[in-house]
Amino acid sequence: QVKYLDFKNGNGVRYLTQFAQGIVPISSYELIYTFQGLTADGKFYVAAVLPVAHPELPATDQISADDPRLADFQAYVADTTAWLQGQPAAAFTPDLAALDALIASIEVK
């Protein structure tokens, strides 16, 4: 879900990600929408970090030792990432299009 966006006086990139300090499932509990950009004059860094959820992702980041996702965690992450890439913006809460519009409305003075 990487997308380049312009705001009123700059541009940047938005994407979905999750930060964790261990092996945890990709979940609505940890998933975030983040935007990283610069003003057109290069003077200001603009960042936004907002929680997002998807109804088909687990609600928590809990995992047990016998969880089948642990067998090949890298494959699980790759498969889940590819699946998320294919999800429409409206499948997320809030709608990614609404968050993109919020970012587009930013003006740094």
Side-chain angles (χ1 to χ4, degrees), residues 69-106:
R69 295 173 287 193
L70 291 176
D72 189 347
F73 192 72
Q74 289 181 332
Y76 158 73
V77 170
D79 292 346
T80 304
T81 299
W83 175 79
L84 284 168
Q85 293 284 61
Q87 297 301 300
F92 295 88
T93 303
D95 187 322
L96 300 183
L99 296 178
D100 291 346
L102 173 71
I103 298 300
S105 74
I106 294 172

Side-chain angles (χ1 to χ4, degrees), residues 1-87:
Q1 291 286 356
V2 175
K3 185 174 182 181
Y4 294 94
L5 299 174
D6 294 328
F7 56 95
K8 293 191 187 269
N9 57 336
N11 56 53
V13 63
R14 73 93 154 136
Y15 53 95
L16 301 181
T17 192
Q18 175 173 312
F19 300 112
Q21 292 185 356
I23 296 175
V24 297
I26 298 170
S27 68
S28 287
Y29 180 75
E30 297 281 347
L31 192 65
I32 59 170
Y33 168 110
T34 185
F35 173 81
Q36 311 295 310
L38 290 172
T39 55
D41 62 10
K43 290 184 178 181
F44 297 97
Y45 174 71
V46 177
V49 177
L50 305 161
V52 293
H54 191 286
E56 294 182 44
L57 288 175
T60 72
D61 64 348
Q62 300 302 306
I63 195 165
S64 64
D66 60 346
D67 192 304
R69 295 173 287 193
L70 291 176
D72 189 347
F73 192 72
Q74 289 181 332
Y76 158 73
V77 170
D79 292 346
T80 304
T81 299
W83 175 79
L84 284 168
Q85 293 284 61
Q87 297 301 300

